[in-house]
């Protein structure tokens, strides 16, 4: 996984949570995440809380405790590629990353998971 400065992690988390809110609805859900020791995990947790979501990090990773959310940040084309995944939707976006922050360098990719017809 890509190692990010706290400013870059915060910028990416804030942008991705804003997009996630459009998919999940306003912050009325509990979100379950598993911390991985990266700088992105705490930034994601803070962005979720700022958006009104309750965040649980010490529960089994299942949908009974809330909406399961997994995340990954990978090195990509000199920047970073962020992905958030829930059982209902996957969001992805590339970012130009600097020590002082991050800016989107691609459109948001949204893949909704629905019941096949």
């Amino acid at each position: 996984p890509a190692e990010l400065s706290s400013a870059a992690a915060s910028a990416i988390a804030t942008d991705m949570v804003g997009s996630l809110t459009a998919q999940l609805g306003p912050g009325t859900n509990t979100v379950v995440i598993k911390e991985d020791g990266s700088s992105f995990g705490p930034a994601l947790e803070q962005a979720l809380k700022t958006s009104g979501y309750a965040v649980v990090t010490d529960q089994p990773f299942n949908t009974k405790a809330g909406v399961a959310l997994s995340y990954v940040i990978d090195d990509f084309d000199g920047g970073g590629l962020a992905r958030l995944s829930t059982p209902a939707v996957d969001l992805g976006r590339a970012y130009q990353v600097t020590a002082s922050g991050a800016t989107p360098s691609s459109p948001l990719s949204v893949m909704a998971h629905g019941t096949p017809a």
Side-chain angles (χ1 to χ4, degrees), residues 1-5 8-9 12 36-41 71-76 78-82 95 97:
E3 187 55 41
L4 301 172
S5 69
I12 293 170
D36 64 357
S38 72
S39 60
F40 187 70
Y71 60 91
V72 66
I73 305 287
D74 284 320
D75 290 327
F76 177 75
L81 180 63
Y95 291 87
V97 177

Side-chain angles (χ1 to χ4, degrees), residues 10-112:
S10 180
I12 293 170
T14 299
D15 181 60
M16 291 296 286
V17 168
S19 299
L20 183 66
T21 299
Q23 302 300 316
L24 294 181
T28 58
N29 297 311
T30 297
V31 177
V32 180
I33 61 175
K34 289 292 181 188
E35 295 176 342
D36 64 357
S38 72
S39 60
F40 187 70
L44 179 61
E45 183 177 349
Q46 184 58 46
L48 287 163
K49 288 178 178 179
T50 299
S51 293
Y53 294 97
V55 178
V56 178
T57 60
D58 61 351
Q59 297 294 314
F61 196 68
N62 63 42
T63 55
K64 292 177 185 163
V67 177
L69 175 65
S70 58
Y71 60 91
V72 66
I73 305 287
D74 284 320
D75 290 327
F76 177 75
D77 199 24
L81 180 63
R83 181 174 170 185
L84 299 182
S85 298
T86 73
V89 67
D90 289 341
L91 303 177
R93 179 175 272 175
Y95 291 87
Q96 184 62 42
V97 177
T98 65
S100 62
T103 55
S105 60
S106 76
L108 179 69
S109 170
V110 178
M111 182 187 305

